[in-house]
Amino acid sequence: MLAAALGGCGNKASESGGGGDYPSRNLTLIAPADPGGGWDMTARAFQQAIKDGKLTDKNVEVRNVPGAGGTIGLSRFVSKEKGDSSQLMIMGLVMIGAIETNDSATDLTQVTPIATLTTETEAVVVRAKSKYKTIKDLMADLKKDPGSVSVAGGSAGSTDQLLLGLMAKDVGADPAKTKYVAYSGGGEAKTAMLSGSVAAGITGLGEIADQVEAGKMRLLAVSSDTAQKVAGKTPPTLKDSGYDVEITNWRGVVAAPGIPDADLEGITSFVGKVRGSAGWKAALKKNGWTDFYKTGDDYKTFLDSETTRVKATVDDLGLGK
C-alpha cells in the first residue's frame, strides 16, 4: 500500500525538504463530509490543537468536501492533490464501508497513510419522548419487523449502518430489510433524531453527548465493550444487554499520493506533535474519544486488515452493490 502511495514524487515541490520544518506552507485539513459530523469535528479539533499549541506559524484551514460517505472527497483528493504535502485528509472506518457500498473506483491504496488518531464507541439513541425506554424495547421491534424501525445515521456503509445490520442479524432479523436513513453530515442526522422523523439514531457517542446531557435524547446503549459515563450515568453496552455485537469507529489522517519521502517523515512527525499536545488531549476528553495511534507499518497492516473485515461485513449484510 505504501509502495503504491509513494511510487513517485509527484509534480509539486517538496514541503519539508528534510522532514524537520513541516509545514513550510499553509496547511489544509480536508473533512470529506458536511459540518457537524465526526470527521469535521476531528479536523477542527486538530486545527484548534495546532493553534493552541502554537505548533506552526502557518495558516491551518479546514475544508469540507461532503458526499457519498467521504468517497467524493477521497476521489478529489487523489485526483487533484497528488504530490501536495500541504493537504491532509481525515478519514476512517466509515470511508472503508462507503468505498465498498458505493463500489468506488478510488480507494485507500491510492493515498499515503500517516496515522490513526482516535476510536469512539457508537451510541444507539432516541429522542426523549420516544416510546423506547430501553435497548430491549427497540430490539424487540427490530426483531418483529426490521422495516418498522427507521434509524438515522451517517452515510451508506458507515459504521452506523454496519452496527444496525449487526444488531438486526443478532436478533435473527434480515439486515437487508432494515430501514436505514443515511445523512452525509452529523448535523442533519441529529436534526432528524430530535424531530421524531425517525424512530432512533446511531452515531458516535461524542456527537450526541450534549443532547443526552440536555435531556433531549435518551441513550439506550453503546457499541463498545466498555461503557463511559454520560450525564452522570453509565449506559449499558450491547453486550451487557445480551447482544453479541461490538464495533467502534476509528478515525485517522492520510496525505496525498505521490509525496516525497522527506515529506512523509515531516508530516508524521508533525501529526505526532499534535497528538501529544495538551489541546489534542483536551479534545479527546471533551468528545469522548479514545487515543488510538498507529503509524508506519502498523498503520498499513491495520488498514489492510480493516479493509478486509469491512468488505466481508458489507457482503454478509447485503449492503454492497
Side-chain angles (χ1 to χ4, degrees), residues 47-238:
Q47 176 192 43
Q48 192 63 45
I50 294 171
K51 180 180 178 180
D52 291 347
K54 299 180 180 179
L55 301 181
T56 181
D57 59 358
K58 302 299 185 289
N59 183 58
V60 181
E61 173 193 8
V62 173
R63 186 167 78 239
N64 294 90
V65 186
T71 57
I72 290 176
L74 174 64
S75 178
R76 185 189 183 286
F77 188 63
V78 168
S79 64
K80 301 293 186 181
E81 310 301 347
K82 183 177 180 180
D84 188 348
S85 301
S86 68
Q87 306 283 326
L88 301 178
M89 185 177 71
I90 303 298
M91 45 67 72
L93 180 62
V94 171
M95 185 174 285
I96 298 176
I99 288 169
E100 297 299 330
T101 302
N102 296 309
D103 195 23
S104 174
T106 307
D107 62 34
L108 292 170
T109 66
Q110 296 167 265
V111 298
T112 306
I114 300 298
T116 54
L117 293 172
T118 66
T119 189
E120 178 185 18
T121 186
E122 292 279 284
V124 183
V125 296
V126 294
R127 66 174 184 162
K129 297 179 181 179
S130 171
K131 68 177 183 177
Y132 297 118
K133 305 301 181 183
T134 69
I135 188 63
K136 291 184 181 295
D137 296 337
L138 179 68
M139 294 293 263
D141 275 2
L142 196 61
K143 180 178 181 178
K144 182 179 179 181
D145 180 5
S148 69
V149 185
S150 57
V151 180
S155 54
S158 67
T159 315
D160 307 338
Q161 187 173 17
L162 293 178
L163 175 54
L164 177 61
L166 292 171
M167 288 164 59
K169 186 175 182 179
D170 189 72
V171 294
D174 184 354
K177 293 182 178 179
T178 54
K179 188 176 182 180
Y180 183 76
V181 186
Y183 293 90
S184 61
E188 291 180 346
K190 191 184 298 184
T191 298
M193 297 173 202
L194 289 169
S195 69
S197 61
V198 293
I202 298 177
T203 187
L205 180 60
E207 296 182 42
I208 49 79
D210 59 337
Q211 300 297 322
V212 175
E213 291 172 354
K216 295 180 179 180
M217 286 186 182
R218 181 180 301 123
L219 178 54
L220 300 182
V222 295
S223 66
S224 61
D225 61 350
T226 57
Q228 52 191 298
K229 285 189 176 182
V230 179
K233 299 179 180 179
T234 302
T237 68
L238 284 165

Side-chain angles (χ1 to χ4, degrees), residues 29 31 35-36 39-49 61-64 90 280:
L29 302 173
W39 287 334
D40 179 69
M41 290 171 66
T42 303
R44 295 185 190 280
F46 201 83
Q47 176 192 43
Q48 192 63 45
E61 173 193 8
V62 173
R63 186 167 78 239
N64 294 90
I90 303 298
W280 182 250

Side-chain angles (χ1 to χ4, degrees), residues 148-319:
S148 69
V149 185
S150 57
V151 180
S155 54
S158 67
T159 315
D160 307 338
Q161 187 173 17
L162 293 178
L163 175 54
L164 177 61
L166 292 171
M167 288 164 59
K169 186 175 182 179
D170 189 72
V171 294
D174 184 354
K177 293 182 178 179
T178 54
K179 188 176 182 180
Y180 183 76
V181 186
Y183 293 90
S184 61
E188 291 180 346
K190 191 184 298 184
T191 298
M193 297 173 202
L194 289 169
S195 69
S197 61
V198 293
I202 298 177
T203 187
L205 180 60
E207 296 182 42
I208 49 79
D210 59 337
Q211 300 297 322
V212 175
E213 291 172 354
K216 295 180 179 180
M217 286 186 182
R218 181 180 301 123
L219 178 54
L220 300 182
V222 295
S223 66
S224 61
D225 61 350
T226 57
Q228 52 191 298
K229 285 189 176 182
V230 179
K233 299 179 180 179
T234 302
T237 68
L238 284 165
K239 280 203 166 185
D240 287 343
S241 301
Y243 308 104
D244 189 19
V245 177
E246 181 186 338
I247 189 172
T248 58
N249 183 23
W250 61 267
R251 301 185 184 102
V253 59
V254 297
I259 63 170
D261 288 345
D263 288 3
L264 174 59
E265 178 185 347
I267 295 169
T268 303
S269 176
F270 182 74
V271 169
K273 288 179 183 177
V274 179
R275 180 248 181 173
S277 70
W280 182 250
K281 291 176 181 177
L284 293 179
K285 183 176 180 180
K286 176 183 176 182
N287 293 296
W289 299 336
T290 299
D291 182 57
F292 186 65
Y293 192 63
K294 295 178 183 291
T295 61
D297 288 343
D298 285 344
Y299 186 15
K300 175 188 177 298
T301 300
F302 174 74
L303 195 55
D304 288 345
S305 174
E306 284 292 89
T307 299
T308 300
R309 180 175 76 96
V310 171
K311 185 180 187 305
T313 303
V314 168
D315 290 344
D316 288 346
L317 300 178
L319 301 177

